[in-house]
Amino acid sequence: MADPSSYRPKPGEIPDSPGVYRFRDEHRRVIYVGKAKSLRQRLANYFQDLAGLHPRTRSMVTTAASVEWTVVSTEVEALQLEYSWIKEYDPRFNVKYRDDKSYPYLAVTMNEEYPRVQVMRGHKKKGVRYFGPYAHAWAIRDTVDLLLRVFPVRTCSAGVFKNAARTGRPCLLGYIGKCSAPCVDRVSAEEHRELADEFCDFMTGRTNTYIRRVEKQMAEAAEEMEYERAARLRDDIEALKKAMEKNAVVLADATDADLIAVAEDELEAAVQIFHVRGGRVRGQRGWVTDKVEEITTGALVEHALQQLYGEETGDAVPKEVLVPALPDPVEPVQEWLAGRRGSGVSLRIPQRGDKRALMETVQRNAQQALVLHKTKRASDLTTRSRALEEIADALDLGSAPLRIECYDISHLQGDDVVASMVVFEDGLARKSEYRRFQIKGFAGQDDVRSMHEVITRRFRRYLAEKEKTGEWTDGEVPESTEDGELTMAGTLTEDDGRPKKFAYPPQLVVVDGGAPQVAAARRALDELGIDDIAVCGLAKRLEEVWLPGDDDPVVLPRTSEGLYLLQRVRDEAHRFAISYQRAKRSKRFRSSPLDDVPGLGDTRKQALLKHFGSLKRLRAATIDQICEVPGIGRKTAETIAVALARSAPAAPAVNTATGEIMEEEPGTMGSSGEPVTMGAPDERRGQET
């Protein structure tokens, strides 16, 4: 591990101008390439105290052994040079998009004397028109098969073409009318190229022109009583329309645009791109990348733009590129795109309308791609086994933790404090074992104290279940369990021969948090006399693993399957806690004195509130007035009046900015029917943890 101070440039050596820099390791291999508006300011960020650097940046600067830079005139030149160097050196610490070259394109080789339509993969060639990319090669062949009726362009290989020219006989497609057979001079090279141009025009979205032209030819053939020719033209029209139907119109006005969406977590990001030409989705592609550097969504978008358009020119770069976040700064990127296209390019975030709706679709695709990638990764048995082994090695456990339990605390500014427990066995979620807790030992916000209470209650139940099953041999009777502490547990059953609930101890307890939460969990286990269960914490900010009593965390490699598994466990606990906390908060907000009236359902509650306008006016109503509401009898009205009389009257609505008591207006009720108290913005806003 190198000390960055050993190769830090001297003060004043680094120029204060735009440029591109390269970090090299001890073997002179380029490990990172970056660009900067000011090389001096950017490089200074890498040579600060290592403790203040992001773990991924810290790993890069300690792997490097030297740094060099190249000064350029503008930020656009820096962007171009950065892209060129990344392609040339393939640095290990730069973002790398995988699977870019695996997508098939529909290609028309306009650089040949007789252009050919075919499926192409890999790097794009000069003089070839590309359409797509498509998700599958068969989708291209289906489209081409339909269009060859109208645009009979050559599709054969060079060998087949030469053999047909030598023998004077065309291939099968030439006989059935799906090739104009230039190999045997049925059409000239100029006529065949014109067919290829028309094929390309149709694929770029200029469809109506050709359909109207064929319809006119069909009408003329019918007038001249050439019914066979008219029928063939009719079938051509149907083929064109069928090819068009494969790509529904998603944007009006024949828009040409690319939409880019990003879904990401701490370690990986999925990018999805929809290519819209003539208002129709003509292609789709997606990548998954490791976030090997500390990077924002805008920077991910910038790298995606470089990957997409670094080798494109002309119409291959659309007039409009829609993104979820703009690079910072955006002007050089926009200018670079305009240079690739040869005219202006709009790079922006869609705000409303069809483009916003389509961007949401692309975003869902990106999210699904990331989930699918992680699911495939998690479902692999070998990968899961390696993850458990890495965790055991990193935490110095005696064996792989086949059962892992993770705990998380959630609240809203100290209200509705709850906790979650999720269980992973053999690296897979076991949702039937999930549990939820309400924090009862104290009021207010204290994550450390809450964690101590939850761990204590869970393992006190474990000791109690152990005694019930006859496994308790120490003669010590554990303390009794608090009633109602577990919201999802039923009674002990042994239908399958095994005890339920908390009878199984984990090999590893993971808590969402750092050293304080870990210490609280360890203290709770020690107080119960449990010393054979390992404890660790995963701090979300830097993804560090904390162990009890250690001053420094354990930093697992970024590519570690063990870290990936711990993250999935932690994220699942967080999701489960948040969903429970939101459900409790929602239920509390919906509570009303009318809930205590037996037999009064939601329909009649709504009828009462709609009739009187508010709970305050309902309280002031007489029994006879309550009986006027449809569906409310006298006995029910009396019960309602008694229930409302027992409940405390609602406080008046107050404008806290002026101190004014506001008159209640119809419809200004909370979800419970109570008047809403108008607090200042900061008082109404909370953050879930």
Side-chain angles (χ1 to χ4, degrees):
M1 180 180 291
D3 183 0
S5 62
S6 64
Y7 63 88
R8 178 174 184 171
K10 295 180 181 179
E13 284 187 353
I14 308 176
D16 188 20
S17 57
V20 183
Y21 53 91
R22 292 175 290 186
F23 281 88
R24 294 181 182 268
D25 63 10
E26 57 184 356
H27 303 292
R28 298 296 297 163
R29 291 175 299 194
V30 175
I31 62 172
Y32 184 74
V33 174
K35 63 175 175 57
K37 182 179 181 180
S38 170
L39 286 169
R40 180 180 301 170
Q41 294 180 13
R42 176 61 60 81
L43 288 176
N45 293 332
Y46 292 102
F47 296 102
Q48 56 180 292
D49 183 11
L50 289 177
L53 294 176
H54 191 279
R56 301 184 186 107
T57 306
R58 183 165 62 240
S59 176
M60 188 273 291
V61 297
T62 53
T63 304
S66 64
V67 62
E68 56 192 40
W69 56 85
T70 299
V71 176
V72 296
S73 302
T74 65
E75 294 179 65
V76 177
E77 290 182 24
L79 190 69
Q80 293 171 333
L81 183 57
E82 179 195 32
Y83 173 73
S84 299
W85 279 358
I86 289 175
K87 298 291 285 186
E88 179 181 354
Y89 297 114
D90 191 24
R92 56 177 289 198
F93 283 98
N94 279 93
V95 168
K96 298 181 183 68
Y97 291 110
R98 298 190 289 272
D99 297 332
D100 181 33
K101 304 304 179 186
S102 65
Y103 287 89
Y105 285 82
L106 169 58
V108 184
T109 58
M110 302 299 292
N111 56 349
E112 298 182 3
E113 181 182 6
Y114 296 99
R116 175 190 176 192
V117 176
Q118 64 183 111
V119 177
M120 273 193 179
R121 299 178 186 264
H123 294 281
K124 295 185 177 180
K125 300 176 182 178
K126 188 175 181 180
V128 179
R129 295 285 301 274
Y130 291 90
F131 304 96
Y134 288 76
H136 304 283
W138 56 260
I140 301 177
R141 297 188 180 99
D142 284 352
T143 300
V144 170
D145 186 63
L146 290 169
L147 295 181
L148 288 180
R149 288 184 54 91
V150 186
F151 310 108
V153 186
R154 167 197 164 205
T155 59
C156 60
S157 65
V160 173
F161 187 89
K162 291 178 181 178
N163 184 61
R166 180 178 56 83
T167 61
R169 292 180 299 178
C171 64
L172 177 62
L173 293 180
Y175 282 113
I176 64 176
K178 287 193 174 182
C179 178
S180 55
C183 54
V184 293
D185 297 326
R186 286 186 185 175
V187 295
S188 65
E190 293 75 15
E191 291 171 331
H192 184 267
R193 181 169 292 274
E194 184 178 348
L195 278 175
D197 286 332
E198 291 177 348
F199 180 94
C200 292
D201 286 345
F202 187 88
M203 290 301 300
T204 55
R206 302 184 182 97
T207 56
N208 293 332
T209 301
Y210 294 100
I211 291 179
R212 285 196 297 266
R213 187 181 70 183
V214 178
E215 287 176 342
K216 183 178 179 181
Q217 292 174 353
M218 180 183 68
E220 291 174 352
E223 287 179 1
E224 296 172 3
M225 293 185 290
E226 297 180 4
Y227 298 119
E228 291 184 0
R229 178 167 169 262
R232 182 175 57 80
L233 292 171
R234 177 202 61 199
D235 294 341
D236 290 348
I237 293 172
E238 291 300 318
L240 290 176
K241 290 182 177 180
K242 191 173 181 180
M244 291 172 58
E245 289 171 359
K246 288 180 175 291
N247 299 102
V249 175
V250 293
L251 297 178
D253 302 327
T255 301
D256 289 346
D258 284 350
L259 290 90
I260 302 173
V262 178
E264 58 183 311
D265 59 15
E266 289 79 8
L267 292 183
E268 295 176 306
V271 178
Q272 281 285 312
I273 302 99
F274 276 23
H275 302 276
V276 179
R277 299 295 182 269
R280 301 173 185 271
V281 178
R282 296 293 183 182
Q284 174 187 359
R285 71 166 76 174
W287 303 313
V288 177
T289 179
D290 290 328
K291 295 171 67 175
V292 292
E293 55 178 319
E294 183 182 3
I295 192 169
T296 63
T297 303
L300 283 171
V301 168
E302 181 177 323
H303 285 290
L305 293 173
Q306 288 179 316
Q307 187 85 1
L308 273 171
Y309 308 119
E311 300 177 1
E312 304 288 0
T313 56
D315 291 340
V317 182
K319 296 179 182 178
E320 194 171 8
V321 180
L322 305 178
V323 295
L326 293 174
D328 184 24
V330 67
E331 291 78 11
V333 180
Q334 202 158 5
E335 187 177 343
W336 174 73
L337 290 173
R340 305 298 303 179
R341 176 177 170 81
S343 60
V345 175
S346 173
L347 180 63
R348 63 186 184 87
I349 303 172
Q351 301 295 333
R352 62 184 68 84
D354 293 341
K355 294 177 181 178
R356 175 68 180 178
L358 184 57
M359 175 60 81
E360 291 173 355
T361 300
V362 185
Q363 181 65 43
R364 285 195 297 271
N365 276 266
Q367 194 66 46
Q368 288 293 328
L370 184 62
V371 170
L372 181 61
H373 170 74
K374 290 185 172 294
T375 301
K376 288 181 178 178
R377 186 175 175 184
S379 61
D380 182 68
L381 179 60
T382 304
T383 302
R384 297 203 316 269
S385 300
R386 185 166 67 250
L388 294 174
E389 291 173 1
E390 289 179 1
I391 293 173
D393 292 340
L395 305 185
D396 197 21
L397 304 179
S399 60
L402 299 182
R403 180 181 171 106
I404 300 174
E405 293 181 2
C406 185
Y407 298 82
D408 185 30
I409 308 298
S410 181
H411 57 82
L412 182 65
Q413 291 188 336
D415 294 331
D416 298 320
V417 185
V418 299
S420 67
M421 178 188 102
V422 300
V423 179
F424 275 58
E425 290 187 353
D426 296 328
L428 294 176
R430 189 175 176 85
K431 295 193 175 183
S432 62
E433 300 285 326
Y434 286 13
R435 297 293 182 262
R436 306 183 299 190
F437 300 83
Q438 299 180 46
I439 302 303
K440 298 180 177 181
F442 64 97
Q445 175 181 345
D446 189 337
D447 287 358
V448 174
R449 191 175 173 186
S450 299
M451 187 64 69
H452 180 273
E453 177 182 331
V454 170
I455 298 295
T456 299
R457 287 163 55 182
R458 183 265 182 268
F459 286 97
R460 189 180 292 158
R461 289 294 295 267
Y462 158 62
L463 296 178
E465 301 297 350
K466 192 174 181 180
E467 181 191 19
K468 288 181 182 180
T469 57
E471 299 178 30
W472 188 263
T473 59
D474 295 341
E476 179 182 352
V477 179
E479 297 180 28
S480 60
T481 307
E482 298 169 334
D483 292 334
E485 68 175 8
L486 185 63
T487 62
M488 293 180 62
T491 58
L492 184 68
T493 62
E494 298 182 1
D495 295 338
D496 58 357
R498 299 189 304 170
K500 299 293 185 182
K501 298 186 301 184
F502 288 138
Y504 301 107
Q507 284 80 47
L508 176 63
V509 167
V510 181
V511 298
D512 184 10
Q517 286 84 356
V518 173
R522 183 72 264 174
R523 188 172 69 254
L525 292 175
D526 291 342
E527 291 170 355
L528 293 172
I530 300 174
D531 58 3
D532 58 347
I533 297 176
V535 178
C536 74
L538 187 60
K540 190 176 183 65
R541 188 174 68 90
L542 297 178
E543 303 300 318
E544 300 166 329
V545 180
W546 290 87
L547 297 176
D550 289 359
D551 295 331
D552 298 316
V554 176
V555 179
L556 295 175
R558 180 195 54 78
T559 56
S560 166
E561 292 296 338
L563 177 60
Y564 173 72
L565 177 57
L566 289 177
Q567 284 181 314
R568 284 206 306 126
V569 173
R570 187 270 316 280
D571 293 345
E572 179 69 357
H574 185 68
R575 179 201 64 79
F576 195 49
I578 282 287
S579 62
Y580 182 39
Q581 195 273 336
R582 287 174 176 168
K584 281 185 61 64
R585 186 174 78 242
S586 178
K587 183 178 180 180
R588 177 166 58 85
F589 286 167
R590 289 196 303 266
S591 63
S592 164
L594 295 177
D595 295 339
D596 298 330
V597 179
L600 190 65
D602 291 338
T603 302
R604 291 199 290 176
K605 288 179 190 176
Q606 293 296 328
L608 285 166
L609 294 175
K610 183 177 180 181
H611 181 83
F612 290 100
S614 71
L615 203 59
K616 178 180 177 181
R617 291 171 184 159
L618 178 57
R619 278 195 180 95
T622 63
I623 292 177
D624 290 337
Q625 290 173 330
I626 296 175
C627 289
E628 295 175 2
V629 179
I632 304 296
R634 188 167 189 84
K635 185 175 181 180
T636 303
E638 292 173 353
T639 307
I640 292 171
V642 171
L644 293 176
R646 289 175 178 172
S647 64
V654 178
N655 186 331
T656 56
T658 62
E660 177 185 3
I661 297 178
M662 303 173 62
E663 289 296 329
E664 188 182 353
E665 298 294 338
T668 58
M669 296 180 298
S671 56
S672 64
E674 296 285 1
V676 175
T677 301
M678 305 296 292
D682 289 341
E683 297 171 340
R684 297 194 304 268
R685 185 163 54 239
Q687 181 179 2
E688 295 174 5
T689 62

